[in-house]
Amino acid sequence: LHYPHVSASGTLDGATCTSARLTDSRLIRCQGDEVGEVEEGWNFQCENSETKCIHVQRNRKCQMIDCMQGKRCFLETMLTGNILAQWELIQEALGGLNRSPLVRTTLGDGTVLVGLLLPSEAEPIFREALARREALERTRAEEEARRRDQMLHDEQAENYPEGESDSDNSDETRGFVSVARVA
């Protein structure tokens, strides 16, 4: 059976749907001219239940933020990938996330994803924390490169006192090869 506000099912009123139960049910059979009208109403209900809660579908004011009653489709944010390696960052960014549900979903193309279900307000906070960490890692890498350059410069100054150059001593007699960085 296909109801406009829920996924397809083999049950009718909570029990397995059989021909006899279908005939004895409260469902109304439509024929001939009625089919187009019923189909139009069914499609309207199907579209409304996709993103609107049952209260809004019935033209009432819903009192709950993000009410899910009667909705068929939900927009959820899921964090996937190498989660355990980044667990400290995740906890720090999301304020001690201790009980975020681990979820599994299958996409339309058959791909299966497993990850953490994030609260709706958590995505921008998490993205900001990731950006801060990347900036910090870039800064550390730049500092390390500067330190290596300084050590190389100091080593060259130590091996070549003032006035002496690499051209005065061949690599064969000195026993090493000099390194130069080209921008």
Side-chain angles (χ1 to χ4, degrees):
L1 294 176
H2 294 275
Y3 291 95
H5 58 285
V6 292
S7 59
S9 167
T11 62
L12 176 64
D13 296 330
T16 303
C17 183
T18 62
S19 179
R21 289 184 62 76
L22 194 56
T23 305
D24 294 340
S25 74
R26 56 187 167 81
L27 297 175
I28 302 169
R29 179 179 289 241
C30 59
Q31 299 173 353
D33 299 344
E34 299 173 318
V35 173
E37 185 180 335
V38 170
E39 183 179 359
E40 187 178 309
W42 193 94
N43 287 334
F44 177 78
Q45 176 63 30
C46 183
E47 288 173 16
N48 271 340
S49 66
E50 186 174 342
T51 58
K52 297 177 185 173
C53 71
I54 193 72
H55 310 106
V56 175
Q57 291 175 44
R58 294 179 178 171
N59 294 321
R60 294 192 176 132
K61 186 175 181 181
C62 186
Q63 302 297 323
M64 294 179 5
I65 297 172
D66 294 332
C67 180
M68 295 183 179
Q69 293 181 1
K71 277 187 183 180
R72 289 185 305 111
C73 301
F74 305 97
L75 180 61
E76 298 285 358
T77 304
M78 198 171 147
L79 181 62
T80 63
N82 196 357
I83 295 170
L84 292 178
Q86 304 297 326
W87 191 251
E88 287 181 20
L89 174 68
I90 294 168
Q91 281 192 312
E92 179 185 313
L94 303 178
L97 182 68
N98 293 327
R99 295 197 174 259
S100 183
L102 185 62
V103 294
R104 177 183 186 271
T105 188
T106 304
L107 302 179
D109 65 358
T111 305
V112 175
L113 296 177
V114 176
L116 292 175
L117 190 60
L118 295 180
S120 57
E121 68 280 354
E123 183 181 358
I125 296 167
F126 187 69
R127 287 186 183 277
E128 183 179 313
L130 277 174
R132 279 195 311 267
R133 177 180 262 187
E134 287 174 2
L136 180 62
E137 287 175 358
R138 260 193 316 274
T139 303
R140 285 181 182 162
E142 289 169 359
E143 287 175 2
E144 182 64 27
R146 275 195 295 271
R147 252 184 270 134
R148 272 187 264 133
D149 287 345
Q150 185 62 43
M151 285 175 42
L152 181 62
H153 177 73
D154 292 347
E155 184 180 304
Q156 286 177 346
E158 197 176 284
N159 291 330
Y160 300 112
E162 260 187 64
E164 212 178 299
S165 73
D166 193 22
S167 60
D168 296 341
N169 303 301
S170 71
D171 291 338
E172 293 175 37
T173 59
R174 299 285 293 177
F176 66 91
V177 177
S178 62
V179 177
R181 291 192 180 218
V182 178

